[in-house]
Amino acid sequence: MEFSWSAIQSIQSLETSRAGRFQPEWRPILLGYFGLTPGMRVLEVGCGPGTLAPYLAAGVNPGTVTAVDLDKEFIQYAEDKAHREGHTGIRYLVANAYHLPFADGLFDAAVSYTGIGILQQPRQAIREMVRVVRPGGSIAVAEAVTGQTGILFKGVDALGRQESYPGAHQYWELKDRLHHALAQKPLGLGDPDWPPEAIWGLMAEEGVINLRINAWGYVDADDDSRHPSRMARIRDNGARELELVRLVRSDPQWKNIFQVKEWDELVRLIEARQNWLVDHAAFDWEAGLSIVMAGTQGL
Ligand SMILES: C[S@@+](CC[C@H](N)C(=O)[O-])C[C@H]1O[C@@H](n2cnc3c(N)ncnc32)[C@H](O)[C@@H]1O
């Protein structure tokens, strides 16, 4: 089967979520976190549909960004977007993080945003990033912790479970079962999610020195600039939740998590919850933290 990350995480959901994370006022700060300065030749690994590369390219101008991903659809979309929006200094390429098609020491920096922690073999990808960067160049790997169910948000999650719309109890029960089943059986394309501390250790072992850590956060809330109104945000999140259910439900490896009537019930409950949230949106928010681990090619 051909590799297709876009089948489990759509272009639209990546574009929307990253627009919130890479807010304009953060972009210059992130360049520093990633160890980038003007004039550098930068490699971005796992660039998806080009959600970060344009900001990197603007920041390292007159340097350049080579952005690679294994998903052809993402690369095609990113190229079209660069053309449409007139981005310069970026080259997009279909390539595998495990076997980068570049000579040793070709780049001044290699970076990745949520592109390493999702791999089966993160060490191999980090080894490749180290290989293609010159000694003394920068290596940065960023990972994200997100979601109402993320480790940071257990307290808020518990409050969310106090929701009192009809069917709330079944909704959370089905969602718990769904998440539990998804966690047991990786999606096969990239899972499992490696915790940042494991990635940090791999970077050190693979020859990255002077490691430092930085982080920035965001709250995807009712006043979020990504949504014109609170109502639009509630509807958008509901649509994303339904899309996930539709994708999981149609996948042969997942569809038996629930019986048909339970899938139908989950869809009904998601829709019912969205209607309830319109008047009771107290806990419908999501927060995230992006952690950047960066250092120097020390081989
Ligand atoms: C969570 S997405 C992040 C995409 C992008 N960095 C962003 O934040 O919008 C993970 C990305 O890694 C890519 N990927 C997964 N395995 C890969 C591999 N072996 N080589 C290159 N890219 C890969 C996927 O296609 C996907 O675009």
Side-chain angles (χ1 to χ4, degrees):
M1 198 180 81
E2 188 166 3
F3 180 87
S4 173
W5 189 274
S6 38
I8 57 163
Q9 199 171 22
S10 72
I11 289 172
Q12 196 209 350
S13 76
L14 277 169
E15 288 268 57
T16 313
S17 64
R18 274 38 176 182
R21 297 182 198 183
F22 307 138
Q23 302 266 352
E25 65 271 29
W26 272 103
R27 292 173 201 159
I29 297 169
L30 303 186
L31 289 174
Y33 288 179
F34 284 109
L36 304 182
T37 51
M40 278 184 162
R41 274 175 311 175
V42 179
L43 171 70
E44 190 198 353
V45 177
C47 64
T51 45
L52 179 62
Y55 313 138
L56 300 179
V60 298
N61 182 43
T64 55
V65 173
T66 301
V68 304
D69 199 283
L70 195 51
D71 190 305
K72 286 187 193 134
E73 199 182 320
F74 281 159
I75 292 296
Q76 184 64 56
Y77 175 87
E79 272 174 347
D80 293 347
K81 183 172 63 173
H83 187 67
R84 207 171 49 242
E85 298 180 1
H87 300 144
T88 54
I90 316 174
R91 178 168 68 123
Y92 288 106
L93 207 67
V94 177
N96 193 334
Y98 296 146
H99 310 283
L100 293 171
F102 306 114
D104 297 0
L106 185 67
F107 296 98
D108 299 306
V111 306
S112 187
Y113 181 82
T114 64
I116 300 300
I118 50 86
L119 295 171
Q120 301 278 358
Q121 304 167 53
R123 181 190 292 279
Q124 173 63 18
I126 291 168
R127 188 170 290 170
E128 280 290 88
M129 290 170 77
V130 171
R131 180 183 67 75
V132 301
V133 168
R134 64 165 171 80
S138 295
I139 316 270
V141 174
E143 296 300 326
V145 187
T146 57
Q148 290 171 317
T149 50
I151 191 163
L152 295 174
F153 311 110
K154 287 270 187 279
V156 175
D157 190 44
L159 287 171
R161 282 157 199 262
Q162 306 303 318
E163 289 171 352
S164 58
Y165 73 96
H169 178 72
Q170 291 100 299
Y171 169 80
W172 286 102
E173 194 184 300
L174 287 172
K175 287 275 283 199
D176 279 346
R177 274 174 59 195
L178 177 65
H179 289 154
H180 185 71
L182 288 172
Q184 296 304 310
K185 215 171 170 199
L187 288 164
L189 288 167
D191 284 348
D193 267 324
W194 297 83
E197 64 272 23
I199 301 284
W200 172 275
L202 292 177
M203 292 175 77
E205 285 168 22
E206 293 302 321
V208 183
I209 57 170
N210 305 328
L211 270 163
R212 60 186 187 276
I213 188 158
N214 276 296
W216 82 97
Y218 71 92
V219 177
D220 174 5
D222 290 349
D223 60 353
D224 187 320
S225 57
R226 289 183 278 160
H227 299 93
S229 67
R230 175 172 162 270
M231 186 79 82
R233 177 178 182 280
I234 292 170
R235 294 295 175 211
D236 187 35
N237 279 357
R240 277 200 268 164
E241 203 176 350
L242 287 170
E243 186 194 333
L244 175 73
V245 168
R246 188 184 60 72
L247 283 171
V248 173
R249 181 180 187 168
S250 63
D251 188 316
Q253 73 166 317
W254 302 113
K255 66 175 194 223
N256 294 328
I257 293 175
F258 294 139
Q259 297 167 1
V260 172
K261 65 174 191 312
E262 288 177 313
W263 282 118
D264 291 343
E265 180 67 353
L266 181 58
V267 168
R268 191 190 69 73
L269 288 167
I270 290 171
E271 286 166 352
R273 178 170 181 265
Q274 294 305 307
N275 290 332
W276 182 83
L277 283 171
V278 169
D279 296 321
H280 305 84
F283 297 107
D284 192 35
W285 63 284
E286 188 183 86
L289 190 68
S290 292
I291 299 168
V292 188
M293 294 159 284
T296 310
Q297 212 279 24
L299 295 183

